[in-house]
Amino acid sequence: MSGQTPGAETRENRLKRLQMRSMRRGIKEMDILLSAYAEANLAVMSEADLDLYDRLLHENDQDLYQWVTGQVPAPEAFSELVQHIAQTYQ
């Protein structure tokens, strides 16, 4: 037995799922931004950071785009993560 709770997601599967969700957003700009960020960062992120990123991926693409481009401030919970994502392309 692997010691995992039945139905628990392995880290490998979680990283694959988050990478896929980063690439298939709905608007091309967010596909590009998030897939590049995910590829560069997911493998080294802590479980808490992955939890936060997973929550971010549930947000609306239009909101995410405005946060990442600085048009609208990101909610405090996502502020640091959004800044890190935005720096991927600076």
Side-chain angles (χ1 to χ4, degrees):
M1 295 207 68
S2 67
Q4 284 195 358
T5 309
E9 186 175 37
T10 66
R11 182 172 174 90
E12 180 183 0
N13 285 346
R14 184 179 197 189
L15 295 178
K16 288 178 183 178
R17 177 178 57 81
L18 292 174
Q19 181 71 45
M20 187 62 70
R21 287 188 57 219
S22 298
M23 295 182 339
R24 303 214 173 144
R25 296 296 308 164
I27 61 173
K28 192 65 173 174
E29 293 84 356
M30 291 313 302
D31 292 349
I32 293 166
L33 289 169
L34 292 177
S35 63
Y37 176 81
E39 188 173 326
N41 295 284
L42 290 183
V44 297
M45 290 171 74
S46 70
E47 291 303 313
D49 289 339
L50 290 174
D51 290 344
L52 183 62
Y53 187 71
D54 201 356
R55 284 183 30 224
L56 181 78
L57 292 178
H58 284 88
E59 296 294 324
N60 178 285
D61 267 357
Q62 295 295 345
D63 293 335
L64 281 172
Y65 185 74
Q66 290 181 330
W67 300 341
V68 170
T69 59
Q71 297 174 38
V72 175
E76 188 175 328
F78 297 127
S79 181
E80 189 174 324
L81 176 57
V82 167
Q83 288 176 349
H84 196 225
I85 292 168
Q87 290 173 356
T88 301
Y89 282 93
Q90 289 183 355

